[in-house]
Amino acid sequence: MSKTPDLALRFAGIKLRNPLVLLSGTAGAGREIKKLVELGRFGALCTKTVTFQPRPGNPPPRIAETPSGLVNSIGLENPGFARFLEETAPGLRSLPLPVIASIAGNGPELSRMAEALTGAGPAGLEINLSCPNVGGAFNPTAPTEIERLLREVRRATGLPLLAKLPPDFYRIGDLARAAETAGCDGLTVANTLPAMVFDLKLRKPRLGGITGGLSGPAVLPVSLYLVHRARQAVGLPIIGSGGVHDADGAVSMLLAGAQAIGLGTVNFFRPLAYREILQALAEFRTAGPGRRKPTP
Ligand code: SIN
């Protein structure tokens, strides 16, 4: 009988049992989602982004479904860093997988949070530079600004550092290079695509925050393009993030150049998809090109 291949990898200095990463904003801090999935079967979990000050988030409605997609306008609702550090961080080590803490803010805030989280529970940090639902201070867009910000954070922590880049089709290579030059250990490529949905009866936007970020199967081909471009630009390991919902999408992410595969919106509509994906990854590891049957 053939042996199941070992899918373990070191990603940005973090030991993962397999390449599957539960993406930020779709898995809480593990407590909630562990009622739906076996956390110990994933490589890592990335927590919902926390900011230095608490944020109430955007007005409702905050979610709108679209064909093959979901537009969210959450607005980084979170209880603030002090509560995260006191109430959430200490429990992260007892989860059966490494946890990456996602943080957003300006340079001084990010540095303070990164320093305080060092040794406090998370196995690594993801700097969210790309939430489409908050203002510019949290989202530098120029490669030079991104590099400056990430250098500041790099000085504050020895934890593995990932940059979650925006889906900037034209400059994704430059942004990836900026993160690499600043000393990041890995990338998450990318965040949701800026989007809008209208209620035609009311003739008004469906989201309380007016605009939002599109995720789900609809964005997969775009994510593959972004990962491919980032891979051409840098050697950093990449979490391919955006639209993976089945085995074919997961394998495509690896072919595009990702080392790890993010599962996000799929957790809301098919949380057990990871089972078939893990099986496909094992087959992909053992079979040569053309050997794996695509999902019917
Ligand atoms: C949000 O909280 O608005 C979504 C988070 C993100 O897109 O980074």
Side-chain angles (χ1 to χ4, degrees):
M1 206 166 75
S2 68
K3 207 169 147 254
T4 311
D6 182 7
L7 295 175
L9 69 156
R10 269 195 100 74
F11 181 92
I14 308 170
K15 208 168 157 235
L16 310 188
R17 68 169 60 81
N18 64 53
L20 298 189
V21 177
L22 287 160
L23 289 170
S24 176
T26 67
R31 280 189 304 270
E32 305 80 357
I33 201 163
K34 77 179 181 200
K35 295 173 196 146
L36 293 176
V37 303
E38 302 154 277
L39 278 185
R41 296 201 59 201
F42 290 85
L45 177 149
C46 193
T47 55
K48 169 72 184 162
T49 302
V50 69
T51 53
F52 198 71
Q53 300 294 344
R55 290 180 56 90
N58 285 342
R62 291 172 164 187
I63 298 277
E65 280 188 55
T66 60
S68 299
L70 186 74
V71 183
N72 90 77
S73 174
I74 307 296
L76 292 185
E77 179 188 348
N78 77 91
F81 184 66
R83 277 188 60 192
F84 181 83
L85 188 63
E86 198 187 318
E87 297 169 15
T88 307
L92 298 180
R93 278 207 197 91
S94 59
L95 293 175
L97 77 179
V99 176
I100 298 166
S102 170
I103 55 178
N106 60 33
E109 289 170 345
L110 284 170
S111 299
R112 282 178 73 179
M113 291 190 280
E115 194 174 350
L117 285 170
T118 308
L125 300 179
E126 181 181 79
I127 311 303
N128 184 354
L129 301 162
S130 48
C131 172
N133 302 320
V134 294
F138 286 0
N139 292 335
T141 52
T144 46
E145 275 180 285
I146 287 187
E147 186 184 323
R148 195 173 329 117
L149 186 81
L150 291 172
R151 267 190 203 282
E152 208 174 321
V153 188
R154 179 69 292 173
R155 280 195 290 273
T157 183
L159 280 173
L161 195 60
L162 312 185
K164 185 163 190 173
L165 299 178
D168 181 336
F169 322 110
Y170 302 114
R171 292 193 297 183
I172 190 72
D174 294 337
L175 302 183
R177 269 189 290 272
E180 187 174 56
T181 310
C184 283
D185 303 290
L187 302 173
T188 305
V189 177
N191 212 319
T192 54
L193 305 183
M196 240 184 141
V197 191
F198 283 86
D199 181 321
L200 296 184
K201 280 205 193 98
L202 299 177
R203 300 189 177 192
K204 277 175 32 184
R206 267 165 66 191
L207 294 167
I210 313 290
T211 61
L214 177 66
S215 61
V219 308
L220 177 65
V222 179
S223 311
L224 296 173
Y225 170 85
L226 292 164
V227 168
H228 168 69
R229 286 286 183 217
R231 167 56 57 240
Q232 287 179 319
V234 295
L236 290 177
I238 297 172
I239 304 176
S241 160
V244 173
H245 60 284
D246 63 11
D248 290 356
V251 171
S252 300
M253 269 300 177
L254 298 184
L255 293 173
Q259 278 66 41
I261 301 155
L263 297 181
T265 302
V266 68
N267 300 323
F268 301 137
F269 66 93
R270 218 154 68 86
L272 301 182
Y274 68 92
R275 293 181 178 162
E276 79 184 42
I277 293 176
L278 285 174
Q279 198 178 330
L281 294 181
E283 282 168 34
F284 180 70
R285 212 18 95 73
T286 42
R291 299 269 307 281
R292 197 181 74 77
K293 285 204 194 85
T295 312

